[in-house]
Amino acid sequence: MKAEKSTIQCVMSWIRRQPPKVKAFFAVVTAMTVLVFLKVIVHEHDNLFIASEAVHALGISLLIYKLTKEKTCAGISLKTQELTALFLAVRLYCSFVMEFDLHTLLDSATLVTTLWVIYMIRFKLRPTYMEDKDNFPIYYVVVPCAVVSLLIHPSTRHHIINRLFWAFCVYLEAVSVLPQLRVMQNTQIVEPFTAHYVFALGIARFLSCAHWILQVLDSGGRLLTALGYGLWPTMVLLSEIVQTFILADFCYYYVQSLMGGQLVLRLPSDVV
């Protein structure tokens, strides 16, 4: 077992020394391999979206454990939680007026727990909140997402307001984790529960992205037509891919730290 672990560590160390282009190539190859694997073993690809929601819920559960047991919110970005609550609230509104299904119930549960996390950070554990590290301006993501949603949104038969909200929540979800990455960039050290939470977000985003890509492949591209015409279908897929790759670098260092038996994750200054 130790020999296998040593081999894995050597491989990870070799990859770490490679130029960014080589790392990107390995990331793409790995992602494509996992996609093929999921396509073979998961016959109902809608289950991938449900799995994505479940992993996201697991990540938030880890945050709840940290807040209740350790009585500290150090290392957690309040701004990411607020952005998450915002896109979930908008998506829930769209679900209620456009398409009520199982995803609506899952989003409702996730929104409630996210609001609880926000309450704990703002009022119960405020002295431990690292406000000086959580310095990513929210308007840097909210305003561009709102502008892009005005320009590129669904062309379905729903009311224009609902279509704009739908586009806004898709774009905002893709970049909502950026404040959390800024906190980790500022601290350079990520304690275990926060690292587990962000890694769970990365897995959830990848599963969601895999769901969309496999659905498009299975439908022979008809799903894109169902989403509407123009740039909107492409932007949906692009948003899913962007939110996956935003967390890819962190997930790499998380796995490397896990393989090395380190409980506390130490990030290079240029990781995020």
Side-chain angles (χ1 to χ4, degrees):
M1 178 65 99
K2 289 185 178 179
E4 292 180 1
K5 192 173 183 179
S6 177
T7 301
I8 294 175
Q9 289 176 351
C10 289
V11 172
M12 298 290 284
S13 178
W14 178 81
I15 293 176
R16 183 178 180 179
R17 295 194 301 269
Q18 301 308 304
K21 289 183 179 180
V22 176
K23 290 181 181 179
F25 172 76
F26 281 121
V28 171
V29 171
T30 301
M32 292 178 64
T33 302
V34 176
L35 276 176
V36 172
F37 178 72
L38 290 174
K39 182 174 177 59
V40 172
I41 67 170
V42 181
H43 301 292
E44 182 55 57
H45 296 147
D46 199 46
N47 291 335
L48 291 174
F49 191 84
I50 297 175
S52 169
E53 294 287 335
V55 173
H56 189 180
L58 176 61
I60 294 180
S61 298
L62 293 172
L63 277 190
I64 292 174
Y65 181 87
K66 172 186 170 71
L67 297 177
T68 55
K69 296 299 182 181
E70 299 188 356
K71 303 297 182 182
T72 177
C73 61
I76 300 176
S77 170
L78 173 62
K79 293 180 179 179
T80 280
Q81 298 305 312
E82 290 174 338
L83 289 175
T84 300
L86 178 57
F87 83 71
L88 283 172
V90 175
R91 192 160 73 187
L92 269 175
Y93 165 78
C94 293
S95 295
F96 278 115
V97 301
M98 299 170 72
E99 184 183 21
F100 186 93
D101 54 19
L102 176 61
H103 302 156
T104 307
L105 300 177
L106 294 173
D107 278 344
S108 299
T110 305
L111 176 60
V112 169
T113 53
T114 301
L115 290 174
W116 184 86
V117 169
I118 292 173
Y119 168 78
M120 291 294 290
I121 295 176
R122 278 196 171 278
F123 302 106
K124 295 295 185 179
L125 303 174
R126 186 75 184 190
T128 64
Y129 171 47
M130 304 168 69
E131 188 171 3
D132 59 321
K133 305 295 183 184
D134 194 11
N135 55 10
F136 189 96
I138 285 184
Y139 61 83
Y140 277 15
V141 293
V142 173
V143 173
C145 288
V147 172
V148 175
S149 65
L150 288 172
L151 299 174
I152 306 174
H153 50 266
S155 55
T156 57
R157 297 180 179 178
H158 301 96
H159 192 278
I160 182 62
I161 297 299
N162 298 336
R163 287 185 279 141
L164 291 176
F165 278 161
W166 183 7
F168 176 73
C169 72
V170 168
Y171 301 144
L172 186 60
E173 181 183 12
V175 294
S176 61
V177 76
L178 288 179
Q180 180 64 59
L181 295 181
R182 171 63 68 84
V183 171
M184 296 188 300
Q185 183 184 52
N186 289 337
T187 59
Q188 295 298 298
I189 297 177
V190 187
E191 58 82 38
F193 284 108
T194 304
H196 298 335
Y197 162 70
V198 178
F199 180 71
L201 283 185
I203 297 299
R205 300 289 167 83
F206 176 77
L207 290 174
S208 177
C209 182
H211 161 259
W212 277 102
I213 292 176
L214 294 179
Q215 289 282 71
V216 170
L217 292 176
D218 284 349
S219 66
R222 290 189 299 276
L223 179 62
L224 293 178
T225 305
L227 290 173
Y229 55 85
L231 292 175
W232 168 245
T234 303
M235 290 298 290
V236 171
L237 284 179
L238 183 61
S239 297
E240 294 290 339
I241 293 172
V242 165
Q243 63 181 311
T244 300
F245 276 92
I246 282 178
L247 287 167
D249 208 17
F250 171 84
C251 290
Y252 163 75
Y253 284 101
Y254 174 89
V255 173
Q256 184 184 57
S257 177
L258 202 63
M259 292 295 182
Q262 300 176 15
L263 294 178
V264 176
L265 179 60
R266 300 178 185 276
L267 298 174
S269 58
D270 59 345
V271 66
V272 288

